[in-house]
Amino acid sequence: MISKGKSKFLRWCYFIVGSGLLYLFAFVFLPYASKGLGFENAHNKIIEEKIEAGAWYYIF
């Protein structure tokens, strides 16, 4: 049986490893996937045409 101290340590380890994997996915994998899937051309077109792609519009 796992003691409470060891269980707390394992939860912190899982948290740190999970955070590291999320960081790698967001800042290492996704930029290369964006280029590999052909989104780079669309991003450049949005920049060239000055499209407000990140703007939030409200109806009220």
Side-chain angles (χ1 to χ4, degrees):
M1 183 171 233
I2 298 174
S3 67
K4 286 191 178 215
K6 204 174 226 186
S7 175
K8 193 173 188 178
F9 176 74
L10 283 175
R11 281 188 277 163
W12 274 106
C13 287
Y14 292 145
F15 174 74
I16 291 169
V17 169
S19 298
L21 289 174
L22 184 62
Y23 174 83
L24 286 175
F25 180 75
F27 293 103
V28 176
F29 174 72
L30 284 180
Y32 290 112
S34 178
K35 289 179 185 176
L37 294 173
F39 291 121
E40 188 173 19
N41 294 334
H43 294 164
N44 290 336
K45 187 68 171 177
I46 288 171
I47 292 168
E48 289 171 7
E49 299 292 329
K50 296 180 182 168
I51 298 171
E52 295 286 332
W56 287 81
Y57 295 99
Y58 296 99
I59 60 173
F60 300 110

